[in-house]
Amino acid sequence: MNRLKEKLVKFMSGRYGVDQLYYVMLVLWAVLMVVNIKVDSLILVAISDVFLVLAIFRSFSKNISRRSGENQKLLKVWNLVRRKVKLFFRRFKEIRVHRFRTCPHCKKTLQLPIKRGKNTVKCPRCQEKFEVHIFL
Ligand SMILES: [Zn+2]
């Protein structure tokens, strides 16, 4: 058993292994397989198998910098989506106290107190002033 473990460790040394993109691909493969139970499509099986083959290929790949770059792209998108979802729920949670507006110059989301009507706001990040309309 130890001999098999040593061979496996030797085989995997210098290879990329698993990361977040690997798990995303496995989840996509599983979801497509579950959907395929209802749909029963050969094309869906082919697409899901592509995800599985890519996940396995990536984990055994020796081009670590490229695989890491691919994972970083996924994490960038993931963090953006997570931030947007968090802000969405925060808007509802603080609906009685704050309004959220995006600075047109630096695109930072600002948390503003509720002052109904037309207001001039100074962005704390870029120091630019811009008009804000708060109706409700
Ligand atoms: Zn700004």
Side-chain angles (χ1 to χ4, degrees), residues 103-108 123-128 130:
C103 173
H105 306 285
C106 68
K107 307 296 180 205
K108 178 171 176 47
C123 176
R125 184 197 266 175
C126 66
Q127 307 298 322
E128 293 283 337
F130 60 97

Side-chain angles (χ1 to χ4, degrees), residues 14-17 19 21 58 60-74:
R15 296 186 190 271
Y16 187 63
D19 58 2
L21 185 55
R58 290 187 76 256
F60 290 138
S61 173
K62 288 189 173 183
N63 193 349
I64 292 172
S65 63
R66 189 161 182 174
R67 301 291 90 85
S68 180
E70 292 164 355
N71 193 47
Q72 288 303 312
K73 285 178 188 171
L74 171 82

